[in-house]
Amino acid sequence: MQFTTRPTLSGTFGMVSSTHWLASQSAMAVLEDGGNAYDAAVAGAFVLHVVEPHLNGPAGEVPILLAPAGGEVRVLCGQGVAPAGATIEHYRGLGLDLVPGTGPLAAAVPGAFDAWMLLLRDYGTKSLADVLKYAIGYAEDGHACVENVGATVETVRRLFETEWTTSADVYLPGGRSPRPGELFRNPALAATWHRLLAEAGGAGDREAQIEAAREVWRSGFVADALVRQAGRPTMDTSGERHTGTLTAADLASWSASYEAPATYDWNGWTLCKAGPWSQGPAFLQQLALLPPELPAHGSADYVHLLIEGCKLAMADREAWYGDADAVPLEDLLSAEYNAARRQLIDGKASYELRPGSPGGRAPRLCEHARVVAPAEPGFDPMGAGEPTVARVTRDGGTRGDTCHLDVVDRWGNMIAATPSGGWLQSNPVVPELGFPLGTRLQMTWLTPGLPNSLAPGRRPRTTLTPSIALRDGEPVLAFGTPGGDQQDQWQLHFFLAVATRAKARGGLDLQGAIDAPNWHNDSFPGSFYPRGMRPGSVTVESRMDEAVVEELRRRGHDVTVGGAWSEGRLCAVARDPGAGILSAAANPRGMQGYAVGR
């Protein structure tokens, strides 16, 4: 029997897994009150804005995968686009060669709020007041912060005290950062939701009120406050004060939208992801690169194979994925293309960035994509991009992280969502609203003609990538993780452990697959400012077999041994349609993710 930190939960009524126990239990409360998985997810998501403000916020973004009982899997895109004024020429004219990692220049049109409203309107059953009451309660009456909220505030204390003073008003009350075990309140956020409900409450029935709330966000008092904030000169990672490009017209003209998922069939499973405006298809490419027979789970051959396959998929992500140009996804996932790419994997670690040529097309890379990340004093081996815990970089900025939420209900409805952006360390708090703008435009390039070039009306290529898996055509598994560029690495390792559990050492279940020693590599351009990479790097948990680590080093991998529980923050829920059993598991790393259910 494989040791696990917790049991895999099982039941028949409903299951929730998220990166914070208050969000999980709030979502479960909605299920207990008769709501479905989509009502529950919306309630949990707004609680995540309150209790994990260093990881996400209402003005951030969220891709959502939903599998309605008896229906088709759909993607709900809550990734906002670049404003009309966000041109390469404008940023270059400011003397920039990268979009800053913080500040209003990095702000796309906020997407998360509208996506959750659309989900509630089209698939939920509860009123807006019913699902918002949990978040309002925690913002108004307080909640005991997890340690990393205060730790993140401390990393930007000086910036808050000298420049972003509206953030200090919320996150440094009385000059003190939030402390574990003490109630922390955000009355401005609670007041925002109270006012939103009041203005939308007279609109008519449930759907009319949700539509009214969307209009308040896009063209009412919320929009007015967001535009004012974007126009305030703000210190960012460039070391200068800049104003943003977000306008009232940008907010009024954008809406979250539905689309079909990108899919790949593997050994009787169908994996569903958001399209190539996300990094989701890189997960599918990693599956396509696998040989028919896998080495023993957890062996050096197995880890080496997955690392090298990831490098090839991520090189293709850099050369081909984005929203500014057509993406040859059919070719990128084809058997012929990946059979040829697979031949590049040998017994040695590659230190090259090797994008392919799908359909004979020549790959295009930004010159900056070849920059190697500098060695930073005290570098946290948990990785670049969105690490598990926000950290200070050499330029004084911080990198945020992400949340995740999965729900399955007794009717078989299933959802996976990865909310992020709008972090407390991304932009100053909008004083009238209690939350900041996001910074997702930092993922675009200021070089014309690339798939992920900055372009008005286009989505920045996001790292956010929830997953739904079907077995014999039936949705059976929803999962995901925070972690930026690491997300589709950790998720692949988890999925393979679940899908091949009959061959996996110890017979891993959901919790066992989450708990198993994990790893990632940074041998490709990072998605976050300052966009560096570390060729040949692999970061492993210290629980990985020492013989495997030594064999990886012998093969040329530059291995960093991190903490015992430092890689991955996976959540998962599952359903067995034949047995009628629901299950769930959550990540013990960070000691705040929990699954609940019955």
Side-chain angles (χ1 to χ4, degrees):
M1 175 67 73
Q2 173 73 30
F3 169 78
T4 62
T5 57
R6 310 166 181 176
T8 295
L9 304 185
S10 61
T12 58
F13 180 81
M15 292 284 161
V16 182
S17 180
S18 87
T19 47
H20 196 290
W21 62 85
L22 292 179
S24 295
Q25 189 52 49
S26 297
M28 192 66 200
V30 173
L31 294 180
E32 296 284 4
D33 194 42
N36 65 20
Y38 309 115
D39 298 312
V42 176
F46 278 89
V47 170
L48 286 173
H49 296 159
V50 179
V51 301
E52 293 190 325
H54 58 312
L55 309 180
N56 79 137
E61 46 275 328
V62 59
I64 301 169
L65 266 67
L66 55 148
E72 298 291 322
V73 176
R74 302 182 80 183
V75 176
L76 176 49
C77 175
Q79 174 58 66
V81 300
T87 64
I88 291 174
E89 293 74 21
H90 176 65
Y91 286 67
R92 289 289 189 181
L94 296 172
L96 300 169
D97 59 0
L98 287 174
V99 177
T102 60
L105 274 179
V109 176
F113 179 86
D114 197 62
W116 291 118
M117 291 300 99
L118 209 60
L119 179 70
L120 184 66
R121 184 196 73 184
D122 296 341
Y123 289 92
T125 64
K126 294 288 188 181
S127 71
L128 183 56
D130 284 339
V131 296
L132 275 181
K133 66 183 180 183
Y134 305 93
I136 291 173
Y138 288 125
E140 197 163 49
D141 302 327
H143 64 97
C145 280
V146 294
E147 183 177 356
N148 286 331
V149 175
T152 301
V153 173
E154 283 299 312
T155 67
V156 285
R157 171 185 282 273
R158 185 173 179 277
L159 179 67
F160 281 12
E161 291 175 337
T162 60
E163 295 279 349
W164 297 8
T165 55
T166 57
S167 296
D169 292 341
V170 174
Y171 290 105
L172 289 169
R176 290 179 53 186
S177 59
R179 299 189 180 186
E182 295 182 1
L183 286 180
F184 174 75
R185 298 174 174 86
N186 188 341
L189 178 58
T192 295
W193 299 144
H194 277 306
R195 182 176 174 184
L196 182 91
L197 290 173
E199 294 194 10
D205 63 11
R206 188 188 77 90
E207 291 188 15
Q209 290 181 22
I210 294 169
E211 279 300 298
R214 295 178 72 205
E215 286 306 307
V216 169
W217 178 276
R218 291 190 294 195
S219 58
F221 80 92
V222 176
D224 293 343
L226 292 173
V227 171
R228 279 195 299 272
Q229 184 62 45
R232 295 183 176 113
T234 301
M235 179 66 70
D236 59 38
T237 51
S238 72
E240 303 289 337
R241 297 180 183 89
H242 292 114
T243 57
T245 61
L246 185 69
T247 67
D250 294 318
L251 282 162
S253 62
W254 185 83
S255 171
S257 58
Y258 295 102
E259 59 189 55
T263 63
Y264 186 77
D265 294 331
W266 183 83
N267 287 5
W269 295 81
T270 299
L271 279 299
C272 301
K273 286 288 200 174
W277 53 268
S278 77
Q279 73 172 353
F283 178 101
L284 307 181
Q285 274 194 267
Q286 289 177 87
L287 286 174
L289 284 162
L290 294 175
E293 293 293 327
L294 294 179
H297 180 86
S299 66
D301 286 342
Y302 180 86
V303 176
H304 174 79
L305 174 70
L306 267 56
I307 291 169
E308 294 305 303
C310 175
K311 292 175 185 177
L312 296 174
M314 288 303 204
D316 278 343
R317 181 194 75 165
E318 191 53 52
W320 299 107
Y321 292 14
D323 199 37
D325 201 357
V327 179
L329 192 58
E330 184 176 348
D331 288 333
L332 287 165
L333 296 180
S334 70
E336 180 183 22
Y337 176 76
N338 285 288
R341 296 283 278 158
R342 194 181 304 127
Q343 298 306 308
L344 297 175
I345 301 175
D346 57 23
K348 293 292 185 181
S350 171
Y351 279 60
E352 299 178 64
L353 187 67
R354 300 182 288 182
S357 301
R361 304 167 183 85
R364 295 167 293 168
L365 293 172
C366 177
E367 280 304 309
H368 194 89
R370 303 183 185 277
V371 175
V372 177
E376 299 176 4
F379 183 80
D380 184 340
M382 285 154 53
E386 292 174 316
T388 302
V389 180
R391 66 176 175 86
V392 183
T393 61
R394 291 180 71 185
D395 54 36
T398 62
R399 295 170 181 165
D401 200 355
T402 299
C403 306
H404 189 78
L405 175 72
D406 301 310
V407 188
V408 60
D409 64 29
R410 63 190 185 274
W411 300 288
N413 298 303
M414 186 175 282
I415 183 170
T418 309
S420 188
W423 311 306
L424 66 86
Q425 65 275 24
S426 63
N427 258 301
V429 166
V430 183
E432 305 94 325
L433 303 177
F435 58 83
L437 286 163
T439 56
R440 196 58 59 170
L441 291 186
Q442 67 180 290
M443 296 184 162
T444 60
W445 294 115
L446 297 181
T447 300
L450 301 173
N452 193 33
S453 298
L454 178 66
R458 298 293 187 179
R459 294 167 287 191
R461 189 191 67 217
T462 180
T463 52
L464 308 174
T465 173
S467 304
I468 283 181
L470 288 68
R471 185 72 173 167
D472 300 323
E474 282 280 336
V476 297
L477 182 64
F479 59 100
T481 180
D485 295 313
Q486 289 87 274
Q487 288 183 28
D488 279 320
Q489 301 183 58
W490 293 333
Q491 289 188 66
L492 179 73
H493 309 160
F494 162 81
F495 171 72
L496 290 177
V498 171
T500 62
R501 61 191 179 276
K503 299 179 182 179
R505 185 176 56 201
L508 300 177
D509 61 0
L510 292 185
Q511 193 64 51
I514 288 174
D515 288 356
N518 217 322
W519 67 91
H520 80 273
N521 85 90
D522 297 305
S523 296
F524 47 84
S527 295
F528 292 83
Y529 182 92
R531 310 299 301 274
M533 62 179 173
R534 299 163 59 210
S537 67
V538 178
T539 303
V540 305
E541 290 182 323
S542 62
R543 295 180 296 123
M544 183 175 281
D545 188 310
E546 289 183 12
V548 172
V549 173
E550 288 309 308
E551 175 60 17
L552 292 174
R553 285 176 171 151
R554 190 190 69 77
R555 297 184 185 201
H557 297 280
D558 181 11
V559 181
T560 297
V561 179
W565 297 91
S566 56
E567 291 285 318
R569 283 180 62 204
L570 281 143
C571 300
V573 299
R575 59 186 289 266
D576 182 335
I581 299 295
L582 309 178
S583 56
N587 175 56
R589 300 164 179 88
M591 296 188 292
Q592 64 189 68
Y594 277 88
V596 296
R598 69 173 179 87

